[in-house]
Amino acid sequence: MASALTMPRTLSPGGWLRIAAQMLGMLALLLVCIPFYYVYRLLGLSNPWPRVFLGSVAVIAGVKIIPEGHRPTGPVFLIANHVSWIDIPAISWITGSAFVGHDGLASMPLLKWLCEMNDTVFVARHDRTSVADQVRQVRHAMDDMHVLTIFPEGTTSDGTGLLPFKSSLLSAFEPLPDGVAIQPVLLDYGSDAAEIAWVGEEHGLDNFLRILARRSPVVVRVKFLPPLQGAVLENRKTIAQAAREAVLRELTKS
């Protein structure tokens, strides 16, 4: 992704008005959710507010989330393709999932703060010496949240195909904790995938604003595929391969 911030100058005045209205709505939502989040946290209660916030952000942004297939039950690692920032509120709204994210997100204080509220685990993809600590963090998050999502492509794709799944990102699944399922997930944006996707040199903020400026709603089908079973759960490499094959089969049907 591009490192320089380049605002999308091709948006119409109407597009900027839509962005302003939605940003104000999201800010108001955040101000409402924060006090409740900290009250629940202080009381040690199960905290629904990150899920409420993320799902409501999707609604404000004009995203229609359609769940399909085998909804997760019990402790589960979700392995999903990655197309856009929308993927995160879509999965969170349905499942209440926490996420595994790359440590670059932690360099942005506001984004890091919001991610930490949802128990995001930051992994250093290029730091082999910290793998054991990262595995510990992932398993701790799994114990707390019961649903944890990882995007093993390691970046976003164009939504019409899949990048290789990096088995190194699945180190926490080796060995697989007792009683935890591995479930592939396809995020399907249909014919709008290429327009929604955050790829190439586009800055993340540009992608965010461009989607907010749309007149038509974004429709994402969150397709929960059958959990992996049998010999494919033997190690992280077989898990990555089997999950990718399952997601790719479903993608080719779309």
Side-chain angles (χ1 to χ4, degrees):
M1 303 300 172
S3 57
L5 179 60
T6 55
M7 298 297 285
R9 303 183 185 280
T10 58
L11 297 180
S12 67
W16 284 111
L17 285 174
R18 284 188 289 276
I19 289 171
Q22 290 172 97
M23 292 292 287
L24 285 173
M26 291 178 189
L27 177 59
L29 172 67
L30 181 62
L31 294 176
V32 169
C33 288
I34 285 174
F36 287 104
Y37 168 82
Y38 282 109
V39 168
Y40 273 65
R41 182 175 176 180
L42 286 171
L43 295 175
L45 300 174
S46 177
N47 208 322
W49 292 101
R51 181 178 186 175
V52 170
F53 175 73
L54 287 169
S56 299
V57 162
V59 172
I60 292 171
V63 178
K64 183 177 181 181
I65 303 167
I66 304 175
E68 297 182 1
H70 306 254
R71 288 217 193 187
T73 57
V76 59
F77 284 115
L78 301 178
I79 298 181
N81 65 313
H82 199 13
V83 181
S84 166
W85 61 269
I86 296 172
D87 304 344
I88 292 171
I91 292 176
S92 179
W93 180 243
I94 299 169
T95 68
S97 177
F99 294 86
V100 177
H102 66 80
D103 58 346
L105 297 174
S107 65
M108 295 174 273
L110 177 60
L111 187 56
K112 179 183 179 183
W113 175 58
L114 291 172
C115 289
E116 286 178 340
M117 284 187 174
N118 197 45
D119 294 317
T120 296
V121 179
F122 297 107
V123 297
R125 291 178 292 183
H126 305 296
D127 185 1
R128 299 290 184 183
T129 63
S130 65
V131 169
D133 184 57
Q134 291 173 25
V135 169
R136 180 190 58 77
Q137 292 179 55
V138 167
R139 295 195 175 210
H140 178 71
M142 187 72 226
D143 290 339
D144 287 347
M145 300 297 291
H146 303 299
V147 182
L148 189 64
T149 301
I150 189 167
F151 302 109
E153 290 171 290
T155 186
T156 48
S157 68
D158 66 3
T160 63
L162 286 181
L163 299 172
F165 280 13
K166 298 178 179 179
S167 64
S168 60
L169 296 178
L170 308 182
S171 298
F173 304 166
E174 193 176 39
L176 186 65
D178 291 339
V180 176
I182 301 284
Q183 186 167 4
V185 179
L186 170 64
L187 293 142
D188 182 5
Y189 290 86
S191 59
D192 286 337
E195 182 179 349
I196 297 302
W198 172 25
V199 293
E201 296 300 311
E202 184 178 34
H203 192 279
L205 180 59
D206 288 1
N207 180 266
F208 177 71
L209 296 178
R210 183 166 56 80
I211 291 173
L212 293 190
R214 284 170 56 98
R215 291 183 179 180
S216 57
V218 175
V219 178
V220 54
R221 297 181 183 274
V222 184
K223 300 183 178 182
F224 296 96
L225 308 180
L228 301 181
Q229 296 181 344
V232 298
L233 298 174
E234 181 179 347
N235 58 61
R236 59 184 173 83
K237 291 185 178 180
T238 55
I239 289 171
Q241 180 179 351
R244 186 178 187 279
E245 289 174 354
V247 173
L248 187 58
R249 280 195 303 270
E250 189 65 30
L251 181 61
T252 57
K253 296 178 185 176
S254 302

